[in-house]
Amino acid sequence: MTTVDELLALGDDALIAAQRLAEWTTRAPELEEDVALANIALDLLGQARMLLSYAADLERAGLEGAGRDEDALAYLRGEREFRNAQLTELPRGDFADALVRMLFFAAYQRELYAELAAGPDERLAAIAGKASKEVAYHVDHAIMWTLRLGDGTDESHRRAQAAVDRLWPYTFELFEDRPHLREAWLAAVEPVLAEATLDRPEDGRFRPTGGRKGVHTEHMGYLLAEMQSLHRAHPGASW
Amino acid sequence: MYGNDIPEQPGHARLLDEVAAAERDLTGRGLGGDGTEGGADDYFGAVIAADGKIEPRDEMPEAYRKSLIRQIAQHAHSEIIGMQPEGNWISRAPSLKRKAILLAKVQDEAGHGLYLYAAAETLGVDRADLYEMLLDGRQKYSSIFNYPTLTWADVGAIGWLVDGAAIVNQVPLCRCSYGPYARAMIRVCKEESFHQRQGYEILHVLANGSPEQKAMAQDAIDRWWYPSLAMFGPPDTDSTHSAQSMAWKIKRFSNDELRQKFVDMTVQQAEVLGLSLPDPDLRLGEDGHWAYTQPDYDELFTVIKGDGPCNRQRIEHRRAAWEDGAWVREAATAYAKKREGATV
């Protein structure tokens, strides 16, 4: 059976990815992209809410008395209690960082949700089934931009390659719990990089890890400080 | 999507009925009003007289075209700049549900900007040129967005008051004589009504929350009330564009008529919210309309001229986004050219 920690890992990945992506709102290179990025952030936020609500329900079932809800999980946990992979919390970066991160993360989520949708946990399978349709669009969007940036101008190529090199080491952590998914992920990502004329980085020894145990990058504290500030300033309030 | 525990808003449904009626009338008619025939020269006048629609390929006076471009572009720019004050709270929204609603709302505004730029482009201008005119100050956007959003309640006040005022302004535009603008406005108004509703809900929850939350809501209304009244523009006696726009049936009601309509609607809604409007002289007159204190029009002109609290910040933000994105747009163009070359 699915554990609370597993659901938190899934939900926190989606929540923190949504929080970062939403930072692009009003900052995108064109208006169509403002709409698209906000849309993808909304999808991720919706996934986070379903997953965290499930985690909360599961947690409550093992407790006596009132448990936590999605907001208590999002707003009242400390940094060390978050289970997201570090890839999702890295700073916003430039547009190449955003879209390469989306490619890496959405391609991972696609494999992950396909597996969960066929899994034994019915509630999780339903969430994953719905999310699969969203994530397919995220992958398409990320591929479209990876190709344009990689095979666009010299500058866009340079920036896209830098983003790929910077983010690649963080992709290993995604597969720590499900190593078998990396092969399918590579089969999806490598041809995109090749078509975009981008080099696939070597699998080096720098493989940042710790997110699933609540050990994050220095960036995470600031993200949470911002996200949680208002909620925490009014303990017990409804919104 | 929204809760059902929030009371109805007096006057809200009637505005939506007006949008629906405008849409029915629009779909019930063919091009060029009631089939009015005539030579090219008087075709325009005949269509206007018959309450018909002017379409992009129709003859139209140059001044009409220019006036529409100015108005539609200003409207589009307002949607885009208007994303900033609310966008300021996406990262800090106090619950995941509020975060989702706010993100969706700001996304809608980008979408409204897109339809409106598309409507302006039917008049023979380019979105990129309009953008440039926004960035260099040749075209304006609604001055309301030059005020800062200081607390979460400001997001509610913008929804309730600013979007409320925008709807009152825009509902008559659903019957505007220029077809593409009228059709864009019907779509925009339907979505705006959800926006206004979410603002009202935010304030309702705050007004019924802790003393701090209620104070936050009242403070936001105190700050946003007069700037919202100023959104309808200068008094009729000083309005430079109104008379011609009315004659062309771009505009259907005067600034003061619309302002009065907004006040009448909002006073009733404030009572339901249990919050007060910061005007000690609000009185219900014998004619059924509320007498109110006029906003400070000197302040409005100061803001219009560029010296409001956030004018510089808003434009710098937009310019930075545009300039930071230049390499991305260049990449997309270069990539598309390579593809063209490859398929030829």
Side-chain angles (χ1 to χ4, degrees):
Chain A
M1 201 54 200
T2 318
T3 66
V4 173
D5 250 15
E6 284 167 347
L7 290 168
L8 288 178
L10 298 169
D12 289 348
D13 272 356
L15 176 63
I16 303 303
Q19 178 76 5
R20 274 293 181 230
L21 196 57
E23 289 178 19
W24 276 95
T25 311
T26 75
R27 294 190 172 90
E30 54 192 19
L31 208 42
E32 285 81 354
E33 206 50 30
D34 257 316
V35 175
L37 295 182
N39 200 35
I40 293 169
L42 268 173
D43 286 344
L44 291 168
L45 184 55
Q47 294 167 19
R49 294 184 63 192
M50 291 188 288
L51 291 161
L52 292 180
S53 292
Y54 186 15
D57 290 346
L58 208 57
E59 184 185 66
R60 200 177 301 119
L63 285 177
E64 287 177 22
R68 299 188 281 188
D69 62 6
E70 59 171 19
D71 285 334
L73 289 174
Y75 291 96
L76 298 175
R77 276 183 299 156
E79 179 177 336
R80 294 280 280 108
E81 298 169 89
F82 273 81
R83 294 286 175 263
N84 56 291
Q86 293 180 3
L87 177 71
T88 60
E89 75 203 37
L90 295 175
R92 177 168 83 242
D94 68 9
F95 189 73
D97 284 297
L99 272 294
V100 169
R101 170 156 52 181
M102 188 186 297
L103 175 69
F104 290 171
F105 183 62
Y108 154 72
Q109 279 194 315
R110 184 171 63 179
E111 301 308 323
L112 171 73
Y113 286 145
E115 184 169 281
L116 295 175
D121 180 333
E122 284 180 20
R123 181 165 171 186
L124 184 56
I127 296 170
K130 178 178 185 296
S132 284
K133 296 182 191 112
E134 297 164 354
V135 166
Y137 163 74
H138 307 173
V139 172
D140 287 347
H141 193 74
I143 290 176
M144 175 185 82
W145 275 109
T146 304
L147 296 178
R148 285 171 169 182
L149 299 181
D151 196 14
T153 63
D154 288 347
E155 184 183 9
S156 71
H157 178 84
R158 177 181 61 72
R159 286 176 183 258
Q161 187 66 58
V164 167
D165 294 346
R166 194 159 38 235
L167 297 173
W168 188 266
Y170 290 89
T171 62
F172 293 97
E173 188 186 13
L174 297 173
F175 302 97
E176 280 172 0
D177 296 337
R178 295 179 179 80
H180 57 285
L181 295 181
R182 188 165 173 94
E183 206 168 318
W185 181 83
L186 284 170
V189 167
E190 283 175 343
V192 176
L193 296 181
E195 193 184 339
T197 71
L198 294 165
D199 293 332
R200 176 220 194 275
E202 298 284 317
D203 292 340
R205 292 173 61 185
F206 175 54
R207 300 181 182 192
T209 181
R212 304 298 185 209
K213 296 188 180 66
V215 176
H216 294 279
T217 65
E218 290 183 348
H219 310 293
M220 182 69 172
Y222 293 92
L223 181 148
L224 292 181
E226 184 174 350
M227 184 174 89
Q228 298 179 335
S229 58
L230 175 59
H231 186 97
R232 286 184 179 238
H234 298 265
S238 300
W239 301 96
Chain B
M1 184 171 187
Y2 305 121
N4 300 321
D5 50 344
I6 309 290
E8 282 306 308
Q9 294 166 256
H12 188 70
R14 211 176 52 229
L15 281 172
L16 270 183
D17 290 345
E18 287 175 37
V19 175
E23 187 174 26
R24 272 196 308 276
D25 289 355
L26 191 65
T27 50
R29 100 167 86 224
L31 287 182
D34 308 329
T36 317
E37 294 293 332
D41 287 346
D42 59 3
Y43 177 79
F44 176 81
V47 171
I48 297 290
D51 254 346
K53 295 287 176 234
I54 299 296
E55 294 299 332
R57 288 161 190 277
D58 294 344
E59 292 283 337
M60 63 187 93
E62 194 49 28
Y64 175 84
R65 182 193 303 274
K66 280 197 172 143
S67 180
L68 272 170
I69 290 173
R70 182 186 61 81
Q71 182 171 339
I72 300 173
Q74 180 169 317
H75 193 162
H77 299 331
S78 300
E79 296 283 355
I80 301 315
I81 296 291
M83 294 165 69
Q84 289 181 43
E86 291 177 284
N88 183 34
W89 283 92
I90 292 172
S91 68
R92 293 175 289 168
S95 72
L96 296 184
K97 176 182 156 191
R98 291 285 166 213
K99 189 191 286 288
I101 294 171
L102 181 58
L103 186 52
K105 176 175 194 267
V106 176
Q107 184 200 26
D108 278 350
E109 281 152 12
H112 295 173
L114 281 173
Y115 321 148
L116 287 162
Y117 284 123
E121 285 184 324
T122 64
L123 291 158
V125 286
D126 218 53
R127 199 209 301 182
D129 296 334
L130 298 177
Y131 248 52
E132 213 175 287
M133 286 195 268
L134 167 67
L135 293 180
D136 69 19
R138 274 177 292 161
Q139 287 184 339
K140 303 286 183 202
Y141 54 90
S142 177
S143 284
I144 193 74
F145 301 121
N146 291 317
Y147 292 89
T149 48
L150 303 178
T151 72
W152 170 251
D154 289 30
V155 175
I158 288 188
W160 181 47
L161 296 175
V162 175
D163 292 332
I167 295 172
V168 170
N169 248 330
Q170 290 169 8
V171 164
L173 292 173
C174 297
R175 293 180 180 277
C176 154
S177 60
Y178 188 58
Y181 193 27
R183 288 189 286 273
M185 289 321 303
I186 287 172
R187 211 169 148 182
V188 168
C189 279
K190 287 181 182 173
E191 292 180 5
E192 286 291 348
S193 106
F194 283 103
H195 295 178
Q196 201 255 0
R197 177 81 189 159
Q198 69 88 35
Y200 183 79
E201 276 191 26
I202 287 175
L203 291 176
H204 187 269
V205 171
L206 293 177
N208 291 283
S210 68
E212 291 82 8
Q213 286 178 304
K214 184 161 188 181
M216 190 195 287
Q218 186 61 57
D219 168 61
I221 291 173
D222 291 348
R223 281 181 289 110
W224 288 92
W225 170 247
Y226 285 106
S228 300
L229 288 185
M231 284 175 71
F232 296 93
D236 293 348
T237 44
D238 302 339
S239 181
T240 43
H241 299 293
S242 286
Q244 183 60 70
S245 287
M246 300 266 266
W248 280 330
K249 294 185 180 170
I250 294 174
K251 199 170 164 149
R252 301 259 172 182
F253 298 97
S254 77
N255 293 352
D256 288 332
E257 284 169 333
L258 293 168
R259 192 167 8 244
Q260 184 67 56
K261 193 169 184 176
F262 173 69
V263 171
D264 291 344
M265 191 177 93
T266 308
V267 170
Q268 298 175 57
Q269 296 185 4
E271 279 171 19
V272 181
L273 283 174
L275 295 166
S276 58
L277 299 172
D279 181 354
D281 295 328
L282 278 171
R283 296 273 184 284
L284 186 59
E286 283 176 7
D287 59 356
H289 294 299
W290 287 83
Y292 60 95
T293 304
Q294 293 289 322
D296 178 350
Y297 292 110
D298 288 341
E299 177 180 313
L300 174 65
F301 285 111
T302 301
V303 180
I304 288 175
K305 292 205 171 90
D307 295 321
C310 299
N311 297 61
R312 285 163 175 77
Q313 179 188 331
R314 300 286 184 243
I315 288 294
E316 271 164 26
H317 182 104
R318 193 89 290 276
R319 183 177 292 127
W322 186 243
E323 288 171 2
D324 289 349
W327 69 271
V328 177
R329 296 189 299 276
E330 284 159 16
T333 308
Y335 179 78
K337 272 202 183 124
K338 287 184 196 178
R339 296 297 104 180
E340 264 171 40
T343 52
V344 167

